[in-house]
Amino acid sequence: MNRATRRVVPLLPLLPLVLAGCSTAPVSFQGVAPPGLETAYQCAVAQLNLMDYTIEDGNLEAGFVRGRRQTSGVVQELFTGAAHHDVLTASVFDNPATGNTHIRVVASRVADHDIGLLPGLDDDEEQGENRLGPSDSGKADAQRLLTNCGVVATTGGPAPQ
């Protein structure tokens, strides 16, 4: 084994952790809520508002609500050319087989490149949004929403695409 290989091999077990931190996949948390689809929906809306998320979309009939909260400051936006936002999407649904009401919250993050704070410094005309992996605060907010809406046990993992 040469010198370079001896230095790299011990770091290989850390590779999955590094790659997981770079994932752009949203993360989903879900659990059983107290009965009542409308009650669960109204709770999700209220929790997003209490956590300073701006409601972007949603309705009771469709069973979902989506909120967005800016997480980047002016200095970060000046350097990156993007505003970063946590996005939470809560879905409520009844399981006819069990009669239980469920809440699923998907946490994601986006970088909005339409801010243009320093024109001329970035020659790329990159516009729109880039999906990023969810922030720790976004994941914590998703779990807080579930807890505050009466969900006792949650499960989580990558969100379905």
Side-chain angles (χ1 to χ4, degrees), residues 77-78 81 115-125 127:
E77 291 173 15
L78 286 172
I115 59 172
L117 290 176
L118 294 177
L121 289 182
D122 186 7
D123 292 336
D124 295 337
E125 295 273 338
Q127 301 289 313

PDB file of all heavy atoms in Angstrom, residues 77-78 81 115-125 127:
ATOM      1  N   GLU A  77     -26.589  36.723   1.000  1.00  0.00           N
ATOM      2  CA  GLU A  77     -27.140  36.951  -0.325  1.00  0.00           C
ATOM      3  C   GLU A  77     -26.170  37.723  -1.215  1.00  0.00           C
ATOM      4  O   GLU A  77     -26.087  37.478  -2.411  1.00  0.00           O
ATOM      5  CB  GLU A  77     -28.469  37.695  -0.213  1.00  0.00           C
ATOM      6  CG  GLU A  77     -29.553  36.846   0.403  1.00  0.00           C
ATOM      7  CD  GLU A  77     -30.817  37.625   0.669  1.00  0.00           C
ATOM      8  OE1 GLU A  77     -30.979  38.737   0.135  1.00  0.00           O
ATOM      9  OE2 GLU A  77     -31.654  37.111   1.423  1.00  0.00           O
ATOM     10  N   LEU A  78     -25.436  38.656  -0.621  1.00  0.00           N
ATOM     11  CA  LEU A  78     -24.448  39.401  -1.399  1.00  0.00           C
ATOM     12  C   LEU A  78     -23.366  38.481  -1.945  1.00  0.00           C
ATOM     13  O   LEU A  78     -22.935  38.625  -3.086  1.00  0.00           O
ATOM     14  CB  LEU A  78     -23.810  40.492  -0.548  1.00  0.00           C
ATOM     15  CG  LEU A  78     -24.685  41.707  -0.261  1.00  0.00           C
ATOM     16  CD1 LEU A  78     -24.005  42.610   0.761  1.00  0.00           C
ATOM     17  CD2 LEU A  78     -24.961  42.472  -1.543  1.00  0.00           C
ATOM     18  N   GLY A  81     -25.440  35.436  -4.128  1.00  0.00           N
ATOM     19  CA  GLY A  81     -26.356  35.849  -5.178  1.00  0.00           C
ATOM     20  C   GLY A  81     -27.698  35.140  -5.107  1.00  0.00           C
ATOM     21  O   GLY A  81     -28.435  35.108  -6.076  1.00  0.00           O
ATOM     22  N   ILE A 115     -32.589  37.450  -7.064  1.00  0.00           N
ATOM     23  CA  ILE A 115     -32.515  38.632  -6.213  1.00  0.00           C
ATOM     24  C   ILE A 115     -31.676  39.747  -6.821  1.00  0.00           C
ATOM     25  O   ILE A 115     -31.968  40.902  -6.613  1.00  0.00           O
ATOM     26  CB  ILE A 115     -32.014  38.281  -4.798  1.00  0.00           C
ATOM     27  CG1 ILE A 115     -30.643  37.646  -4.854  1.00  0.00           C
ATOM     28  CG2 ILE A 115     -33.007  37.386  -4.100  1.00  0.00           C
ATOM     29  CD1 ILE A 115     -30.017  37.444  -3.502  1.00  0.00           C
ATOM     30  N   GLY A 116     -30.610  39.437  -7.533  1.00  0.00           N
ATOM     31  CA  GLY A 116     -29.822  40.442  -8.239  1.00  0.00           C
ATOM     32  C   GLY A 116     -29.337  41.605  -7.390  1.00  0.00           C
ATOM     33  O   GLY A 116     -29.515  42.753  -7.756  1.00  0.00           O
ATOM     34  N   LEU A 117     -28.729  41.339  -6.253  1.00  0.00           N
ATOM     35  CA  LEU A 117     -28.258  42.416  -5.387  1.00  0.00           C
ATOM     36  C   LEU A 117     -27.040  43.154  -5.940  1.00  0.00           C
ATOM     37  O   LEU A 117     -26.892  44.350  -5.737  1.00  0.00           O
ATOM     38  CB  LEU A 117     -27.923  41.863  -3.997  1.00  0.00           C
ATOM     39  CG  LEU A 117     -29.114  41.422  -3.155  1.00  0.00           C
ATOM     40  CD1 LEU A 117     -28.636  40.803  -1.860  1.00  0.00           C
ATOM     41  CD2 LEU A 117     -30.045  42.582  -2.878  1.00  0.00           C
ATOM     42  N   LEU A 118     -26.166  42.425  -6.603  1.00  0.00           N
ATOM     43  CA  LEU A 118     -24.959  43.047  -7.145  1.00  0.00           C
ATOM     44  C   LEU A 118     -24.914  42.834  -8.656  1.00  0.00           C
ATOM     45  O   LEU A 118     -24.263  41.933  -9.152  1.00  0.00           O
ATOM     46  CB  LEU A 118     -23.702  42.446  -6.496  1.00  0.00           C
ATOM     47  CG  LEU A 118     -23.522  42.725  -5.010  1.00  0.00           C
ATOM     48  CD1 LEU A 118     -22.294  42.003  -4.494  1.00  0.00           C
ATOM     49  CD2 LEU A 118     -23.395  44.209  -4.752  1.00  0.00           C
ATOM     50  N   PRO A 119     -25.610  43.646  -9.419  1.00  0.00           N
ATOM     51  CA  PRO A 119     -25.615  43.459 -10.869  1.00  0.00           C
ATOM     52  C   PRO A 119     -24.220  43.638 -11.457  1.00  0.00           C
ATOM     53  O   PRO A 119     -23.462  44.483 -11.018  1.00  0.00           O
ATOM     54  CB  PRO A 119     -26.581  44.539 -11.365  1.00  0.00           C
ATOM     55  CG  PRO A 119     -26.658  45.552 -10.268  1.00  0.00           C
ATOM     56  CD  PRO A 119     -26.344  44.833  -8.988  1.00  0.00           C
ATOM     57  N   GLY A 120     -23.931  42.793 -12.431  1.00  0.00           N
ATOM     58  CA  GLY A 120     -22.657  42.901 -13.123  1.00  0.00           C
ATOM     59  C   GLY A 120     -21.556  42.057 -12.523  1.00  0.00           C
ATOM     60  O   GLY A 120     -20.581  41.754 -13.195  1.00  0.00           O
ATOM     61  N   LEU A 121     -21.676  41.658 -11.251  1.00  0.00           N
ATOM     62  CA  LEU A 121     -20.637  40.834 -10.651  1.00  0.00           C
ATOM     63  C   LEU A 121     -20.765  39.378 -11.053  1.00  0.00           C
ATOM     64  O   LEU A 121     -19.792  38.661 -11.085  1.00  0.00           O
ATOM     65  CB  LEU A 121     -20.670  40.941  -9.119  1.00  0.00           C
ATOM     66  CG  LEU A 121     -20.201  42.272  -8.550  1.00  0.00           C
ATOM     67  CD1 LEU A 121     -20.235  42.210  -7.035  1.00  0.00           C
ATOM     68  CD2 LEU A 121     -18.800  42.621  -9.034  1.00  0.00           C
ATOM     69  N   ASP A 122     -21.965  38.954 -11.338  1.00  0.00           N
ATOM     70  CA  ASP A 122     -22.185  37.571 -11.740  1.00  0.00           C
ATOM     71  C   ASP A 122     -22.608  37.571 -13.197  1.00  0.00           C
ATOM     72  O   ASP A 122     -23.724  37.976 -13.518  1.00  0.00           O
ATOM     73  CB  ASP A 122     -23.261  36.934 -10.856  1.00  0.00           C
ATOM     74  CG  ASP A 122     -23.423  35.452 -11.125  1.00  0.00           C
ATOM     75  OD1 ASP A 122     -22.618  34.902 -11.904  1.00  0.00           O
ATOM     76  OD2 ASP A 122     -24.349  34.853 -10.564  1.00  0.00           O
ATOM     77  N   ASP A 123     -21.723  37.131 -14.075  1.00  0.00           N
ATOM     78  CA  ASP A 123     -22.030  37.136 -15.495  1.00  0.00           C
ATOM     79  C   ASP A 123     -23.025  36.055 -15.873  1.00  0.00           C
ATOM     80  O   ASP A 123     -23.642  36.112 -16.927  1.00  0.00           O
ATOM     81  CB  ASP A 123     -20.751  36.951 -16.325  1.00  0.00           C
ATOM     82  CG  ASP A 123     -19.841  38.161 -16.206  1.00  0.00           C
ATOM     83  OD1 ASP A 123     -20.357  39.250 -15.894  1.00  0.00           O
ATOM     84  OD2 ASP A 123     -18.626  38.011 -16.416  1.00  0.00           O
ATOM     85  N   ASP A 124     -23.181  35.039 -15.019  1.00  0.00           N
ATOM     86  CA  ASP A 124     -24.166  34.003 -15.304  1.00  0.00           C
ATOM     87  C   ASP A 124     -25.556  34.580 -15.101  1.00  0.00           C
ATOM     88  O   ASP A 124     -25.838  35.233 -14.116  1.00  0.00           O
ATOM     89  CB  ASP A 124     -23.993  32.800 -14.371  1.00  0.00           C
ATOM     90  CG  ASP A 124     -22.674  32.089 -14.594  1.00  0.00           C
ATOM     91  OD1 ASP A 124     -22.118  32.235 -15.692  1.00  0.00           O
ATOM     92  OD2 ASP A 124     -22.212  31.396 -13.659  1.00  0.00           O
ATOM     93  N   GLU A 125     -26.422  34.318 -16.032  1.00  0.00           N
ATOM     94  CA  GLU A 125     -27.805  34.790 -15.940  1.00  0.00           C
ATOM     95  C   GLU A 125     -28.655  33.719 -15.271  1.00  0.00           C
ATOM     96  O   GLU A 125     -29.757  33.429 -15.701  1.00  0.00           O
ATOM     97  CB  GLU A 125     -28.343  35.088 -17.343  1.00  0.00           C
ATOM     98  CG  GLU A 125     -27.650  36.218 -18.024  1.00  0.00           C
ATOM     99  CD  GLU A 125     -28.263  37.565 -17.682  1.00  0.00           C
ATOM    100  OE1 GLU A 125     -29.429  37.600 -17.280  1.00  0.00           O
ATOM    101  OE2 GLU A 125     -27.559  38.562 -17.835  1.00  0.00           O
ATOM    102  N   GLN A 127     -31.209  32.174 -13.175  1.00  0.00           N
ATOM    103  CA  GLN A 127     -32.461  32.625 -12.590  1.00  0.00           C
ATOM    104  C   GLN A 127     -33.215  31.403 -12.096  1.00  0.00           C
ATOM    105  O   GLN A 127     -32.973  30.294 -12.512  1.00  0.00           O
ATOM    106  CB  GLN A 127     -33.298  33.371 -13.628  1.00  0.00           C
ATOM    107  CG  GLN A 127     -32.613  34.579 -14.202  1.00  0.00           C
ATOM    108  CD  GLN A 127     -32.508  35.715 -13.195  1.00  0.00           C
ATOM    109  OE1 GLN A 127     -33.467  36.036 -12.531  1.00  0.00           O
ATOM    110  NE2 GLN A 127     -31.347  36.306 -13.072  1.00  0.00           N
TER     111      GLN A 127
END
